[in-house]
Short mmCIF file of all heavy atoms in Angstrom, two decimals:
data_model
loop_
_atom_site.label_atom_id
_atom_site.label_comp_id
_atom_site.label_asym_id
_atom_site.label_seq_id
_atom_site.Cartn_x
_atom_site.Cartn_y
_atom_site.Cartn_z
N ASP B 323 62.17 154.89 25.31
CA ASP B 323 63.16 153.76 25.26
C ASP B 323 64.57 154.25 25.39
O ASP B 323 65.53 153.41 25.66
CB ASP B 323 63.06 152.98 23.96
CG ASP B 323 61.72 152.30 23.87
OD1 ASP B 323 61.14 151.94 24.95
OD2 ASP B 323 61.39 151.81 22.76
N ASN B 324 64.85 155.59 25.19
CA ASN B 324 66.10 156.00 25.16
C ASN B 324 66.29 157.23 26.17
O ASN B 324 67.28 158.08 26.14
CB ASN B 324 66.46 156.67 23.76
CG ASN B 324 66.52 155.60 22.73
OD1 ASN B 324 67.48 154.93 22.68
ND2 ASN B 324 65.42 155.45 22.06
N LYS B 325 65.35 157.23 27.15
CA LYS B 325 65.40 158.26 28.22
C LYS B 325 66.71 158.58 28.81
O LYS B 325 67.11 159.73 29.05
CB LYS B 325 64.39 157.87 29.21
CG LYS B 325 63.54 158.98 29.85
CD LYS B 325 62.52 158.29 30.67
CE LYS B 325 61.95 159.47 31.53
NZ LYS B 325 60.75 159.01 32.36
N ALA B 326 67.39 157.40 29.10
CA ALA B 326 68.73 157.49 29.82
C ALA B 326 69.66 158.25 28.93
O ALA B 326 70.54 159.12 29.46
CB ALA B 326 69.26 156.15 30.16
N TRP B 327 69.64 157.96 27.76
CA TRP B 327 70.56 158.65 26.85
C TRP B 327 70.34 160.16 26.53
O TRP B 327 71.12 160.95 26.67
CB TRP B 327 70.67 157.88 25.35
CG TRP B 327 71.67 158.52 24.44
CD1 TRP B 327 71.25 159.01 23.28
CD2 TRP B 327 72.91 158.75 24.57
NE1 TRP B 327 72.38 159.44 22.58
CE2 TRP B 327 73.40 159.42 23.38
CE3 TRP B 327 73.82 158.51 25.55
CZ2 TRP B 327 74.74 159.76 23.15
CZ3 TRP B 327 75.28 158.88 25.35
CH2 TRP B 327 75.70 159.45 24.14
N LYS B 329 68.69 162.04 28.66
CA LYS B 329 69.09 162.66 29.95
C LYS B 329 70.64 162.98 30.02
O LYS B 329 70.96 164.10 30.41
CB LYS B 329 68.58 161.81 31.08
CG LYS B 329 68.62 162.40 32.46
CD LYS B 329 67.96 161.49 33.43
CE LYS B 329 67.84 162.13 34.84
NZ LYS B 329 69.13 162.78 35.36
N ARG B 330 71.42 162.02 29.61
CA ARG B 330 72.87 162.24 29.69
C ARG B 330 73.26 163.32 28.73
O ARG B 330 74.21 164.08 28.94
CB ARG B 330 73.48 160.90 29.37
CG ARG B 330 75.02 160.94 29.82
CD ARG B 330 75.58 159.56 29.73
NE ARG B 330 77.05 159.82 29.39
CZ ARG B 330 77.75 158.80 28.79
NH1 ARG B 330 77.16 157.73 28.40
NH2 ARG B 330 78.94 159.15 28.51
N GLU B 334 75.29 166.31 30.20
CA GLU B 334 76.78 166.52 29.90
C GLU B 334 76.95 167.37 28.67
O GLU B 334 78.13 167.62 28.43
CB GLU B 334 77.32 165.16 29.71
CG GLU B 334 77.18 164.23 31.00
CD GLU B 334 77.90 162.88 30.79
OE1 GLU B 334 78.53 162.75 29.81
OE2 GLU B 334 77.77 162.08 31.78
N GLY B 335 75.98 167.64 27.92
CA GLY B 335 76.24 168.43 26.68
C GLY B 335 76.51 167.53 25.60
O GLY B 335 76.82 166.29 25.73
N GLN B 336 76.64 168.03 24.37
CA GLN B 336 76.88 167.31 23.17
C GLN B 336 78.34 167.11 22.95
O GLN B 336 79.14 167.85 23.51
CB GLN B 336 76.19 167.90 21.90
CG GLN B 336 76.80 169.34 21.55
CD GLN B 336 76.33 169.88 20.41
OE1 GLN B 336 75.92 169.25 19.42
NE2 GLN B 336 76.07 171.30 20.40
N ARG B 337 78.64 166.14 22.23
CA ARG B 337 80.10 165.85 21.92
C ARG B 337 80.10 165.18 20.60
O ARG B 337 80.52 163.95 20.48
CB ARG B 337 80.72 164.97 23.05
CG ARG B 337 82.27 164.88 22.86
CD ARG B 337 82.91 163.94 23.96
NE ARG B 337 84.12 163.59 23.59
CZ ARG B 337 84.85 162.59 24.27
NH1 ARG B 337 84.35 162.03 25.31
NH2 ARG B 337 86.14 162.33 23.88
N PRO B 338 79.69 165.81 19.53
CA PRO B 338 79.56 165.18 18.24
C PRO B 338 80.91 164.97 17.67
O PRO B 338 81.79 165.70 17.87
CB PRO B 338 78.78 166.27 17.43
CG PRO B 338 79.13 167.46 18.05
CD PRO B 338 79.26 167.22 19.51
N ARG B 339 80.94 163.89 16.89
CA ARG B 339 82.23 163.46 16.27
C ARG B 339 82.43 164.28 15.01
O ARG B 339 83.56 164.58 14.69
CB ARG B 339 82.21 161.95 15.96
CG ARG B 339 83.37 161.59 15.01
CD ARG B 339 83.44 160.07 14.98
NE ARG B 339 84.65 159.67 13.99
CZ ARG B 339 84.94 158.39 13.82
NH1 ARG B 339 84.21 157.41 14.46
NH2 ARG B 339 85.91 158.05 13.09
N ASP B 359 72.42 158.72 15.22
CA ASP B 359 71.41 158.97 16.32
C ASP B 359 71.64 160.39 16.95
O ASP B 359 72.67 161.09 16.56
CB ASP B 359 71.61 157.90 17.43
CG ASP B 359 70.29 157.84 18.19
OD1 ASP B 359 69.24 158.18 17.69
OD2 ASP B 359 70.47 157.52 19.51
N LEU B 396 83.31 172.88 19.82
CA LEU B 396 83.10 171.42 19.90
C LEU B 396 84.24 170.63 19.51
O LEU B 396 84.32 169.39 19.80
CB LEU B 396 81.87 171.10 19.06
CG LEU B 396 80.60 171.82 19.45
CD1 LEU B 396 79.53 171.43 18.37
CD2 LEU B 396 80.07 171.30 20.75
N LYS B 397 85.14 171.13 18.75
CA LYS B 397 86.37 170.42 18.33
C LYS B 397 85.98 169.09 17.56
O LYS B 397 86.52 168.14 17.86
CB LYS B 397 87.33 170.12 19.46
CG LYS B 397 87.81 171.45 20.12
CD LYS B 397 88.85 171.16 21.16
CE LYS B 397 89.12 172.43 22.04
NZ LYS B 397 89.30 173.60 21.36
N VAL B 398 85.13 169.22 16.61
CA VAL B 398 84.82 168.08 15.82
C VAL B 398 85.94 167.43 15.04
O VAL B 398 86.85 168.29 14.71
CB VAL B 398 83.59 168.38 14.87
CG1 VAL B 398 82.41 168.76 15.52
CG2 VAL B 398 84.02 169.45 13.80
N ALA B 399 86.02 166.19 14.87
CA ALA B 399 87.08 165.63 14.14
C ALA B 399 86.96 165.54 12.59
O ALA B 399 87.84 165.39 11.92
CB ALA B 399 87.43 164.17 14.70
N HIS B 400 85.71 165.76 12.14
CA HIS B 400 85.42 165.77 10.76
C HIS B 400 84.43 166.85 10.31
O HIS B 400 83.47 167.16 11.14
CB HIS B 400 84.70 164.44 10.32
CG HIS B 400 85.39 163.23 10.76
ND1 HIS B 400 86.42 162.52 10.08
CD2 HIS B 400 85.24 162.47 11.83
CE1 HIS B 400 86.77 161.45 10.69
NE2 HIS B 400 86.18 161.42 11.79
N SER B 484 97.18 170.35 11.82
CA SER B 484 97.69 169.66 13.09
C SER B 484 97.13 168.24 13.13
O SER B 484 97.50 167.49 14.07
CB SER B 484 97.30 170.44 14.26
OG SER B 484 95.89 170.45 14.41
N GLY B 485 96.20 167.92 12.17
CA GLY B 485 95.74 166.52 12.17
C GLY B 485 94.53 166.37 13.10
O GLY B 485 94.02 165.31 13.41
N ASP B 486 94.01 167.51 13.56
CA ASP B 486 92.88 167.45 14.46
C ASP B 486 91.53 167.35 13.77
O ASP B 486 90.45 167.17 14.32
CB ASP B 486 92.79 168.66 15.47
CG ASP B 486 93.97 168.57 16.54
OD1 ASP B 486 94.00 167.63 17.18
OD2 ASP B 486 94.83 169.53 16.48
N LEU B 487 91.57 167.67 12.51
CA LEU B 487 90.30 167.85 11.70
C LEU B 487 90.53 167.28 10.29
O LEU B 487 91.56 167.51 9.73
CB LEU B 487 89.94 169.33 11.59
CG LEU B 487 88.71 169.69 10.73
CD1 LEU B 487 87.49 169.15 11.32
CD2 LEU B 487 88.62 171.22 10.66
N SER B 488 89.58 166.52 9.78
CA SER B 488 89.68 166.04 8.45
C SER B 488 88.45 166.49 7.74
O SER B 488 87.36 166.51 8.21
CB SER B 488 90.01 164.52 8.29
OG SER B 488 88.93 163.83 8.77
N ASP C 1132 93.04 157.75 8.02
CA ASP C 1132 91.89 158.46 7.55
C ASP C 1132 91.08 159.00 8.77
O ASP C 1132 90.14 159.81 8.57
CB ASP C 1132 90.91 157.44 6.74
CG ASP C 1132 91.64 157.17 5.50
OD1 ASP C 1132 92.47 157.88 5.01
OD2 ASP C 1132 91.12 156.16 4.85
N ASN C 1133 91.38 158.51 9.98
CA ASN C 1133 90.59 158.89 11.09
C ASN C 1133 91.44 159.46 12.25
O ASN C 1133 90.97 159.57 13.44
CB ASN C 1133 89.79 157.66 11.68
CG ASN C 1133 88.86 157.11 10.76
OD1 ASN C 1133 87.67 157.61 10.74
ND2 ASN C 1133 89.17 156.01 10.01
N LYS C 1134 92.60 159.86 11.86
CA LYS C 1134 93.60 160.39 12.81
C LYS C 1134 92.98 161.39 13.81
O LYS C 1134 93.18 161.37 14.92
CB LYS C 1134 94.65 161.10 11.96
CG LYS C 1134 96.07 160.79 12.52
CD LYS C 1134 97.07 161.36 11.55
CE LYS C 1134 98.48 161.47 12.24
NZ LYS C 1134 99.45 161.71 11.31
N ALA C 1135 92.19 162.34 13.19
CA ALA C 1135 91.68 163.40 13.96
C ALA C 1135 90.76 162.89 15.10
O ALA C 1135 90.81 163.34 16.21
CB ALA C 1135 90.88 164.32 13.12
N TRP C 1136 89.99 161.84 14.78
CA TRP C 1136 89.05 161.28 15.76
C TRP C 1136 89.81 160.51 16.86
O TRP C 1136 89.55 160.67 18.01
CB TRP C 1136 88.05 160.37 15.08
CG TRP C 1136 87.10 159.66 16.01
CD1 TRP C 1136 86.87 158.31 16.14
CD2 TRP C 1136 86.26 160.26 16.95
NE1 TRP C 1136 86.01 158.01 17.06
CE2 TRP C 1136 85.53 159.15 17.56
CE3 TRP C 1136 85.91 161.63 17.23
CZ2 TRP C 1136 84.54 159.51 18.55
CZ3 TRP C 1136 84.92 161.86 18.22
CH2 TRP C 1136 84.24 160.78 18.93
N LYS C 1138 92.89 161.04 17.75
CA LYS C 1138 93.62 162.00 18.51
C LYS C 1138 92.59 162.62 19.62
O LYS C 1138 92.95 162.72 20.79
CB LYS C 1138 94.07 163.06 17.73
CG LYS C 1138 95.07 164.13 18.32
CD LYS C 1138 95.72 164.97 17.23
CE LYS C 1138 96.77 165.93 17.95
NZ LYS C 1138 96.29 166.67 19.02
N ARG C 1139 91.40 162.93 19.15
CA ARG C 1139 90.43 163.44 20.13
C ARG C 1139 90.05 162.45 21.20
O ARG C 1139 89.86 162.85 22.33
CB ARG C 1139 89.21 164.01 19.43
CG ARG C 1139 88.39 165.02 20.12
CD ARG C 1139 87.23 165.50 19.24
NE ARG C 1139 86.11 165.73 20.15
CZ ARG C 1139 84.93 165.82 19.79
NH1 ARG C 1139 84.55 165.66 18.50
NH2 ARG C 1139 83.83 166.02 20.62
N GLU C 1143 90.66 163.59 25.02
CA GLU C 1143 89.43 163.95 25.85
C GLU C 1143 88.89 162.79 26.62
O GLU C 1143 88.00 162.92 27.41
CB GLU C 1143 88.28 164.46 24.89
CG GLU C 1143 88.67 165.77 24.21
CD GLU C 1143 87.51 166.31 23.43
OE1 GLU C 1143 86.38 165.76 23.52
OE2 GLU C 1143 87.72 167.34 22.70
N GLY C 1144 89.42 161.62 26.24
CA GLY C 1144 88.93 160.44 26.97
C GLY C 1144 87.67 159.90 26.30
O GLY C 1144 86.99 160.52 25.48
N GLN C 1145 87.33 158.61 26.75
CA GLN C 1145 86.15 158.00 26.02
C GLN C 1145 84.86 158.47 26.66
O GLN C 1145 84.86 159.02 27.84
CB GLN C 1145 86.23 156.51 26.29
CG GLN C 1145 86.23 156.07 27.72
CD GLN C 1145 86.24 154.52 27.86
OE1 GLN C 1145 85.73 153.77 27.02
NE2 GLN C 1145 86.91 154.09 28.98
N ARG C 1146 83.76 158.42 26.01
CA ARG C 1146 82.49 158.69 26.46
C ARG C 1146 81.39 157.75 25.83
O ARG C 1146 80.59 158.29 24.94
CB ARG C 1146 82.14 160.22 26.13
CG ARG C 1146 80.89 160.74 26.86
CD ARG C 1146 80.67 162.15 26.36
NE ARG C 1146 79.27 162.52 26.71
CZ ARG C 1146 78.71 163.76 26.37
NH1 ARG C 1146 79.50 164.61 25.64
NH2 ARG C 1146 77.52 164.01 26.68
N PRO C 1147 81.55 156.51 26.02
CA PRO C 1147 80.74 155.50 25.28
C PRO C 1147 79.20 155.67 25.79
O PRO C 1147 79.00 156.04 26.92
CB PRO C 1147 81.25 154.20 25.82
CG PRO C 1147 81.87 154.55 27.20
CD PRO C 1147 82.47 155.88 27.06
N ARG C 1148 78.37 155.48 24.85
CA ARG C 1148 76.97 155.56 25.20
C ARG C 1148 76.56 154.31 25.84
O ARG C 1148 75.55 154.36 26.64
CB ARG C 1148 76.21 155.68 23.77
CG ARG C 1148 74.71 155.60 24.05
CD ARG C 1148 73.92 155.91 22.83
NE ARG C 1148 72.48 155.76 22.91
CZ ARG C 1148 71.58 156.16 22.05
NH1 ARG C 1148 71.97 156.91 21.00
NH2 ARG C 1148 70.31 155.97 22.26
N ASP C 1168 81.82 152.20 16.04
CA ASP C 1168 83.15 152.57 15.78
C ASP C 1168 83.84 152.69 17.14
O ASP C 1168 83.16 152.70 18.16
CB ASP C 1168 83.22 153.88 15.03
CG ASP C 1168 84.63 154.14 14.32
OD1 ASP C 1168 85.15 153.13 14.08
OD2 ASP C 1168 84.98 155.34 14.23
N LEU C 1205 81.77 155.97 34.06
CA LEU C 1205 81.52 156.45 32.69
C LEU C 1205 80.05 156.86 32.50
O LEU C 1205 79.63 157.56 31.56
CB LEU C 1205 81.82 155.35 31.65
CG LEU C 1205 83.29 154.81 31.47
CD1 LEU C 1205 83.37 153.65 30.68
CD2 LEU C 1205 84.11 156.00 31.07
N LYS C 1206 79.20 156.42 33.43
CA LYS C 1206 77.83 156.75 33.45
C LYS C 1206 77.08 156.42 32.05
O LYS C 1206 76.45 157.25 31.38
CB LYS C 1206 77.52 158.32 33.70
CG LYS C 1206 78.09 158.66 35.15
CD LYS C 1206 77.76 160.12 35.42
CE LYS C 1206 78.51 160.48 36.65
NZ LYS C 1206 78.42 159.61 37.82
N VAL C 1207 77.37 155.16 31.50
CA VAL C 1207 76.74 154.70 30.40
C VAL C 1207 75.22 154.73 30.40
O VAL C 1207 74.72 154.68 31.57
CB VAL C 1207 77.20 153.22 29.97
CG1 VAL C 1207 78.68 153.18 29.68
CG2 VAL C 1207 76.80 152.30 31.07
N ALA C 1208 74.53 155.01 29.37
CA ALA C 1208 73.12 154.98 29.37
C ALA C 1208 72.42 153.64 29.14
O ALA C 1208 71.20 153.62 29.45
CB ALA C 1208 72.61 156.04 28.29
N HIS C 1209 73.12 152.69 28.64
CA HIS C 1209 72.53 151.35 28.37
C HIS C 1209 73.61 150.34 28.76
O HIS C 1209 74.81 150.50 28.65
CB HIS C 1209 72.38 151.21 26.90
CG HIS C 1209 71.63 152.22 26.24
ND1 HIS C 1209 70.27 152.21 26.08
CD2 HIS C 1209 71.98 153.42 25.56
CE1 HIS C 1209 69.82 153.25 25.47
NE2 HIS C 1209 70.93 154.00 25.07
N SER C 1293 66.35 155.78 38.50
CA SER C 1293 66.26 157.18 38.26
C SER C 1293 66.19 157.48 36.70
O SER C 1293 66.08 158.68 36.34
CB SER C 1293 67.51 157.82 38.82
OG SER C 1293 68.63 157.30 38.02
N GLY C 1294 66.17 156.50 35.87
CA GLY C 1294 65.99 156.72 34.48
C GLY C 1294 67.33 157.08 33.81
O GLY C 1294 67.45 157.39 32.61
N ASP C 1295 68.40 156.89 34.50
CA ASP C 1295 69.74 157.10 33.90
C ASP C 1295 70.36 156.01 33.20
O ASP C 1295 71.34 156.15 32.58
CB ASP C 1295 70.71 157.54 35.08
CG ASP C 1295 70.46 158.91 35.62
OD1 ASP C 1295 70.29 159.86 34.87
OD2 ASP C 1295 70.08 158.98 36.78
N LEU C 1296 69.78 154.74 33.34
CA LEU C 1296 70.31 153.59 32.80
C LEU C 1296 69.23 152.68 32.32
O LEU C 1296 68.21 152.51 33.00
CB LEU C 1296 71.15 152.90 33.83
CG LEU C 1296 71.83 151.54 33.38
CD1 LEU C 1296 72.82 151.67 32.34
CD2 LEU C 1296 72.51 150.93 34.76
N SER C 1297 69.29 152.05 31.15
CA SER C 1297 68.35 151.09 30.75
C SER C 1297 69.11 149.83 30.38
O SER C 1297 70.25 149.82 29.89
CB SER C 1297 67.54 151.50 29.65
OG SER C 1297 68.22 151.81 28.49
#
Side-chain angles (χ1 to χ4, degrees):
Chain B
D323 292 342
N324 293 279
K325 218 171 164 172
W327 177 239
K329 191 171 182 311
R330 198 174 144 205
E334 298 184 5
Q336 61 177 328
R337 191 182 164 189
R339 173 167 177 175
D359 198 30
L396 298 174
K397 298 185 196 311
V398 295
H400 309 270
S484 67
D486 290 303
L487 175 67
S488 61
Chain C
D1132 292 341
N1133 294 279
K1134 219 172 164 171
W1136 177 239
K1138 192 171 184 306
R1139 198 175 145 203
E1143 297 184 7
Q1145 62 178 327
R1146 191 183 164 187
R1148 172 167 175 174
D1168 198 30
L1205 298 174
K1206 298 187 195 309
V1207 295
H1209 309 270
S1293 67
D1295 289 304
L1296 175 66
S1297 62

